[in-house]
């Protein structure tokens, strides 16, 4: 594509930054256009779209083949959409624009050039769930994750390692349930409840849970679940009887049973006996409830009727 003139009628400047070179961001935009604050900054004076990795890029990283780059927007509790800067990334090839990736250092305006990239032509972006605001981790929305290929060489080590996308559903057996390095009290309570139930199954029924990592097609992160193979029952764990937690667990089971064959029954492992209303909800959702009677014994609601028994 021939060079285009900028709005002042001048020829756009030639690109002179080399890989790994650091420049003040204000100077970068003075030379090549674009705005100084967004993570995605299309230039009006040159055929460039500048991308800046920042702490807001929750999914930014290098998979060994692609750079994952988180889109912008969605800060008001909504999903990100393919408009504004996101749209300029999506249509960069059709518009004759070059995507140029920078690492912006925390608390400074210094940016390091990581190279020229283009969108993956087969699957240009994915969707991932993430908190809208780190201060409100329970408010979840969808985030765009662009899949970019470096044109010349892999970007330097400023980017963290990111898992590649699952292009087909993946189910793998995990040796043990996952616990985060710095678990919250709720996560620790969930892990303790699961461990107690596993001990009960081994001691009383001579069986145990199989732990699965499940990645739906297009997903970046694994979803972890637990399968009682003796009963063919998928078990979701919640350390609380709060209604919203039960809703989330039922949705989790409805989602993940799709990936286990033959299709398993569903059960919720809970910290105590559900009240009559929650027990009715579980029955309506075809899910059993399981809870500890004491330190070593668990009981359960009647298992749901299978469809063929109705």
């Amino acid at each position: 594509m021939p060079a285009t003139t900028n709005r002042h009628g001048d020829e756009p400047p030639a690109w002179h930054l080399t890989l790994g070179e650091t420049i003040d961001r204000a100077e970068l935009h003075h030379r090549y256009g674009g705005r100084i604050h967004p993570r995605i900054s299309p230039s009006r004076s040159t055929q460039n779209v500048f991308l800046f990795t920042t702490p807001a890029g929750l999914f930014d990283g290098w998979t060994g083949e692609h750079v994952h780059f988180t889109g912008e927007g969605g800060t008001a509790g909504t999903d990100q959409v393919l408009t504004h800067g996101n749209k300029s990334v999506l249509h960069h090839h059709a518009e004759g624009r070059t995507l140029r990736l920078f690492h912006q250092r925390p608390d400074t305006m210094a940016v390091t050039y990581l190279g020229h990239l283009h969108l993956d032509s087969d699957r240009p972006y994915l969707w991932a769930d993430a908190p809208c605001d780190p201060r409100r981790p329970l408010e979840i929305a969808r985030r765009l994750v662009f899949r970019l290929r470096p044109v010349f060489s892999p970007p330097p080590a400023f980017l963290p390692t990111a898992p590649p996308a699952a292009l087909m559903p993946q189910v793998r057996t995990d040796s043990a349930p996952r616990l985060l390095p710095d678990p919250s009290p709720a996560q620790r309570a969930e892990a303790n409840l699961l461990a107690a139930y596993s001990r009960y199954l081994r001691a009383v029924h001579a069986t145990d849970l199989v732990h699965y990592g499940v990645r739906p097609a297009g997903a970046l992160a694994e979803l972890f679940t637990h399968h009682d193979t003796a009963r063919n029952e998928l078990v979701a764990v919640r350390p609380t009887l709060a209604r919203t937690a039960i809703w989330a667990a039922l949705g989790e089971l409805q989602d993940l049973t799709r990936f286990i064959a033959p299709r398993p029954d569903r059960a919720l492992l809970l910290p105590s006996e559900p009240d009559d209303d929650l027990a009715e909800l579980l029955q309506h959702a075809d899910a059993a409830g399981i809870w500890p009677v004491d330190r070593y014994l668990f009981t359960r609601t009647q298992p749901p009727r299978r469809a063929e028994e109705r």
Side-chain angles (χ1 to χ4, degrees):
M1 175 173 291
T4 58
T5 58
N6 61 25
R7 59 182 176 173
H8 301 292
D10 302 323
E11 289 292 330
W15 186 258
H16 291 300
L17 292 182
T18 58
L19 289 175
E21 184 174 347
T22 296
I23 186 174
D24 184 80
R25 184 164 174 179
E27 175 61 23
L28 171 73
H29 294 306
H30 175 72
R31 292 187 197 178
Y32 300 107
R35 293 180 298 153
I36 197 168
H37 294 298
R39 280 174 44 79
I40 301 174
S41 180
S43 172
R44 293 183 179 180
S45 58
T46 65
Q47 292 295 98
N48 292 299
V49 179
F50 301 114
L51 310 178
F52 299 91
T53 64
T54 68
L58 297 175
F59 300 101
D60 293 0
W62 171 240
T63 71
E65 182 179 6
H66 293 89
V67 172
H68 285 168
F69 183 82
T70 312
E72 66 177 11
T75 56
T78 57
D79 293 340
Q80 291 181 345
V81 293
L82 285 163
T83 59
H84 303 294
N86 296 327
K87 183 178 179 181
S88 69
V89 176
L90 182 64
H91 297 302
H92 81 94
H93 182 73
E95 296 173 353
R97 291 173 176 262
T98 298
L99 300 179
R100 298 194 185 276
L101 180 67
F102 291 82
H103 170 69
Q104 182 157 345
R105 300 179 182 181
D107 303 320
T108 75
M109 294 305 292
V111 295
T112 301
Y113 182 46
L114 304 188
H116 169 195
L117 308 98
H118 61 83
L119 274 180
D120 183 276
S121 57
D122 294 327
R123 191 155 195 164
Y125 61 87
L126 308 165
W127 293 102
D129 296 346
C132 302
D133 187 323
R135 297 167 297 181
R136 298 187 293 274
L138 298 182
E139 296 181 9
I140 304 296
R142 291 209 307 173
R143 293 292 176 260
L144 275 163
V145 183
F146 292 105
R147 302 174 78 224
L148 307 170
R149 289 182 178 272
V151 171
F152 298 115
S153 61
F158 290 105
L159 288 174
T161 299
L167 300 183
M168 296 180 63
Q170 298 176 356
V171 180
R172 67 172 185 84
T173 303
D174 216 9
S175 59
R178 297 294 182 91
L179 188 62
L180 297 175
D182 186 21
S184 68
Q187 290 165 338
R188 192 174 295 280
E190 179 179 311
N192 290 338
L193 180 61
L194 183 64
Y197 185 56
S198 288
R199 288 194 297 270
Y200 162 76
L201 289 177
R202 291 194 297 269
V204 177
H205 297 285
T207 186
D208 203 351
L209 297 174
V210 175
H211 309 288
Y212 287 126
V214 179
R215 293 182 68 194
L220 297 179
E222 282 187 309
L223 308 172
F224 297 98
T225 190
H226 320 285
H227 187 211
D228 183 341
T229 56
R231 291 180 180 267
N232 191 25
E233 184 176 71
L234 207 63
V235 180
V237 188
R238 290 298 184 273
T240 173
L241 298 181
R243 187 173 296 272
T244 53
I246 303 302
W247 290 347
L250 291 173
E252 174 185 312
L253 289 169
Q254 184 71 23
D255 185 6
L256 295 181
T257 51
R258 297 180 295 139
F259 301 100
I260 310 298
R263 191 179 180 94
D265 287 333
R266 300 185 289 267
L268 267 69
L269 179 58
L270 303 169
S272 59
E273 181 177 5
D275 60 26
D276 291 343
D277 184 62
L278 285 181
E280 182 180 350
L281 171 61
L282 295 179
Q283 184 179 28
H284 183 76
D286 286 343
I290 306 168
W291 64 93
V293 176
D294 58 32
R295 185 177 177 182
Y296 302 103
L297 185 64
F298 283 74
T299 191
R300 60 191 294 135
T301 60
Q302 290 297 319
R305 295 178 299 162
R306 292 182 178 272
E308 59 266 24
E309 298 172 350
R310 296 176 184 171

